[in-house]
Amino acid sequence: MPDLSGKVAWVTGSSTGIGAACALALAREGCRVAVHYNRSGEEARRVVQKIEGSGGEALLVRGDVSDAAEVGRMAAEVEDRFGGLDFLVNNAGGLLERRPFSEMTEELWERVMEVNLKSVFLVSRAALPLMRRRGGGRIVNVTSIAARTGGGPGSSAYASAKGGVSTLTRAMAKELVSENILVNGVAPGVIATPFHDRYTPPEVRERLRRGIPIGREGTPEEVAGVVVFLLSPAADYLVGEIVEVNGGQLMD
């Protein structure tokens, strides 16, 4: 993998799962990493400890990524500590709960949109001044296979929000490329994370696994590897791409 020594990366939702794997992978490549969490403080501190224990540098930031004031405060903390920002990974999000469309409430719909879609807008907007002062940067938005398939049972709001993330990724890419800020996305399939432990019943999970040509769930580290690639010089000519990481479950 390329040497990203000295680069500053902010990974939202990096206390567990894909976000934690991204934070650790970027630290291994030499990045100074802002590890973000909202509620999972103990897990986030363990990520920071792993980074620091391996000789890396990490900053722990806490806040609600769907709240503009908190996002602004976190961006200021990143800039105060590291002096700027090179990479942003918009990973924070979640299903919140599975609920059939016919039983969806306006409150749940709006909260899913805030956590998964509004957060990408708010954090990216806050990151832009920090990247501009560096002369450019890179953003990777984590969307989902659900953005194209409509998602599994009870995930209409989540799938819709992730569809918005995919579209926003392309819109951002078009607007920001002239400022040397390259925006791409990664769309995980069925990945072995606390997400599925929490929201996907074992029988549903097994049915999904059987539909994956490679024959297994993916790992957070496999998604993180793609994220690191998109942030590296090897991806200098990629703009507005969304890389599907799903073991062949969905093919173009």
Side-chain angles (χ1 to χ4, degrees):
M1 295 298 292
D3 182 9
L4 302 178
S5 295
K7 298 292 187 181
V8 176
W10 180 8
V11 184
T12 67
S14 46
S15 57
T16 62
I18 291 170
C22 288
L24 293 168
L26 287 166
R28 284 194 296 271
E29 299 306 322
C31 288
R32 295 177 289 167
V33 183
V35 175
H36 161 261
Y37 75 101
N38 189 23
R39 295 187 179 88
S40 303
E42 183 177 345
E43 293 89 340
R45 280 186 283 274
R46 282 200 291 266
V47 174
V48 169
Q49 290 167 359
K50 287 180 181 179
I51 292 172
E52 294 178 340
S54 299
E57 187 177 355
L59 167 69
L60 189 65
V61 293
R62 177 181 185 271
D64 182 351
V65 288
S66 68
D67 183 294
E70 293 198 28
V71 168
R73 186 255 306 157
M74 289 188 287
E77 291 178 7
V78 173
E79 185 169 35
D80 288 346
R81 172 69 176 271
F82 296 128
L85 184 67
D86 301 290
F87 304 146
L88 171 63
V89 181
N90 280 308
N91 169 75
L95 185 62
L96 301 189
E97 68 174 86
R98 291 191 185 275
R99 186 176 296 185
F101 180 77
S102 61
E103 300 173 15
M104 178 63 62
T105 64
E106 185 176 0
E107 180 183 17
L108 178 58
W109 179 274
E110 290 181 349
R111 185 57 186 153
V112 172
M113 292 297 161
E114 288 175 351
V115 170
N116 291 282
L117 179 55
K118 181 183 177 183
S119 64
V120 175
F121 156 63
L122 290 177
V123 179
S124 298
R125 185 182 64 175
L128 290 182
L130 283 66
M131 290 184 173
R132 285 168 176 152
R133 287 194 279 276
R134 295 278 225 211
R138 303 221 175 170
I139 299 173
V140 174
N141 295 330
V142 179
T143 176
S144 170
I145 190 173
R148 293 180 59 192
T149 66
S155 60
S156 59
Y158 177 79
S160 299
K162 289 300 188 179
V165 172
S166 295
T167 300
L168 179 58
T169 298
R170 298 183 183 100
M172 289 169 58
K174 288 181 179 181
E175 289 197 23
L176 298 177
V177 66
S178 63
E179 299 185 67
N180 194 34
I181 298 173
L182 305 185
V183 184
N184 291 287
V186 60
V190 183
I191 308 299
T193 67
F195 177 99
H196 285 294
D197 295 340
R198 184 179 303 120
Y199 298 118
T200 308
E203 64 277 10
V204 175
R205 198 162 173 174
E206 174 59 22
R207 185 169 69 248
L208 290 172
R209 187 198 62 77
R210 290 197 300 268
I212 302 171
I214 207 169
R216 61 173 177 82
E217 296 179 348
T219 68
E221 290 73 21
E222 287 169 325
V223 180
V226 177
V227 171
V228 173
F229 162 72
L230 289 172
L231 295 174
S232 77
D236 278 351
Y237 203 58
L238 287 182
V239 181
E241 287 296 321
I242 296 175
V243 183
E244 304 283 345
V245 186
N246 58 49
Q249 187 180 6
L250 177 66
M251 302 183 192
D252 288 324

